[in-house]
């Protein structure tokens, strides 16, 4: 149910996604022990993503931050040698969503968004190949976020690294949301779809 819900989130079917994710969360609450747990953090993350798509700004920020805090608390309980890859990757995804969300609304140097996106990238570079979709998206988010802030000097190195890391597996479908228009524009430029890039840039300022 959790996986299906997240698939529907990606397609923008937020009402269908919300029902599945809520059902998944309720089942988890019935079977999980009290206290923090990676599955609770995952449920909070997914609920935060739904809130982002639905435009519920305060709810989205609150849920994503709570998911991030739970992940950090769980990782703090583990030794450096026994860090869970699954948990660290989950933290990376939460940091990416929360960092990009805050950057798109408050600016890259507010709300800790720059640090979140950099930490997300650092984790992904440890666990994924340099030309993976995960590393590419983290680099692209840092470039786009700094462009939004007007800090081209800081954005360009990320942009160049993203261009080198551009994986063949990245879907050319448009990204969603205000930040998504900018990410989409950059993606179209990388793949030399210049007319589509121009349209996406215009969408950024509408």
């Amino acid at each position: 149910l959790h996986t299906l819900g997240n698939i529907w989130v990606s397609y923008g079917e937020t009402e269908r996604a919300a029902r599945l994710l809520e059902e998944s969360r309720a089942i988890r609450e019935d079977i999980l022990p009290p206290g923090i747990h990676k599955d609770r953090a995952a449920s909070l993350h997914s609920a935060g993503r739904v809130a982002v798509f639905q435009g519920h700004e305060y709810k989205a920020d609150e849920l994503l931050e709570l998911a991030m805090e739970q992940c950090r608390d769980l990782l703090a309980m583990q030794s450096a040698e026994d860090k869970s890859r699954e948990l660290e990757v989950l933290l990376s995804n939460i940091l990416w969503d929360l960092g990009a969300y805050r950057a798109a609304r408050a600016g890259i140097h507010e709300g800790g968004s720059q640090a979140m996106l950099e930490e997300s990238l650092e984790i992904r570079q440890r666990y994924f190949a340099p030309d993976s979709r995960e590393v590419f998206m983290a680099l692209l988010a840092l470039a786009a976020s700094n462009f939004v802030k007007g800090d081209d000097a800081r954005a360009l190195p990320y942009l160049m690294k993203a261009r080198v890391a551009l994986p063949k597996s990245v879907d050319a479908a448009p990204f969603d949301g205000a930040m998504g228009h900018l990410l989409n524009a950059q993606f179209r430029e990388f793949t030399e779809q210049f007319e589509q890039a121009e349209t996406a840039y215009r969408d950024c300022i509408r």
Side-chain angles (χ1 to χ4, degrees):
L1 290 174
H2 183 81
T3 301
L4 285 173
N6 278 307
I7 291 172
W8 285 118
V9 173
S10 299
Y11 282 109
E13 296 283 344
T14 55
E15 290 186 10
R16 183 178 296 185
R19 288 195 297 271
L20 290 169
L21 291 170
E22 176 57 29
E23 186 176 352
S24 170
R25 187 201 63 78
I27 292 171
R28 285 174 168 177
E29 288 302 320
D30 284 341
I31 63 177
L32 291 175
I36 58 174
H37 190 280
K38 66 178 179 61
D39 288 341
R40 283 198 176 92
S43 288
L44 287 166
H45 177 217
S46 296
R49 292 184 67 228
V50 170
V52 168
F53 275 77
Q54 292 178 333
H56 302 314
E57 294 190 13
Y58 294 108
K59 182 179 180 181
D61 195 278
E62 181 180 10
L63 288 167
L64 291 171
E65 183 163 6
L66 186 56
M68 178 184 69
E69 289 172 354
Q70 289 202 8
C71 263
R72 291 198 188 284
D73 288 344
L74 288 163
L75 286 166
M77 298 175 187
Q78 301 175 351
S79 66
E81 296 77 16
D82 296 324
K83 293 292 183 187
S84 164
R85 179 187 191 277
E86 181 183 6
L87 195 55
E88 287 209 287
V89 170
L90 174 59
L91 176 60
S92 169
N93 294 337
I94 296 168
L95 289 166
W96 192 95
D97 284 318
L98 183 56
Y101 184 71
R102 286 185 176 176
R105 283 149 186 81
I108 188 66
H109 300 302
E110 298 179 33
S113 53
Q114 175 81 22
M116 290 177 190
L117 291 171
E118 288 177 345
E119 185 179 356
S120 176
L121 173 62
E122 186 273 328
I123 294 171
R124 291 179 180 195
Q125 287 175 324
R126 279 194 277 116
Y127 289 113
F128 297 99
D131 63 346
S132 65
R133 188 180 194 279
E134 290 80 6
V135 170
F136 170 76
M137 292 301 293
L139 288 165
L140 196 58
L142 277 159
S145 299
N146 279 288
F147 275 126
V148 167
K149 182 65 176 176
D151 193 344
D152 291 4
R154 199 165 188 174
L156 285 172
Y158 291 118
L159 193 61
M160 294 301 99
K161 289 177 183 178
R163 187 164 190 168
V164 172
L166 177 64
K168 295 178 180 178
S169 61
V170 172
D171 189 354
F175 299 95
D176 294 295
M179 175 65 71
H181 288 309
L182 187 56
L183 294 174
N184 185 36
Q186 298 291 346
F187 177 81
R188 300 295 186 180
E189 275 200 335
F190 293 155
T191 52
E192 299 184 358
Q193 302 174 61
F194 298 115
E195 290 185 7
Q196 295 94 326
E198 182 178 355
T199 299
Y201 278 122
R202 291 184 185 278
D203 288 337
C204 291
I205 59 176
R206 285 179 181 171

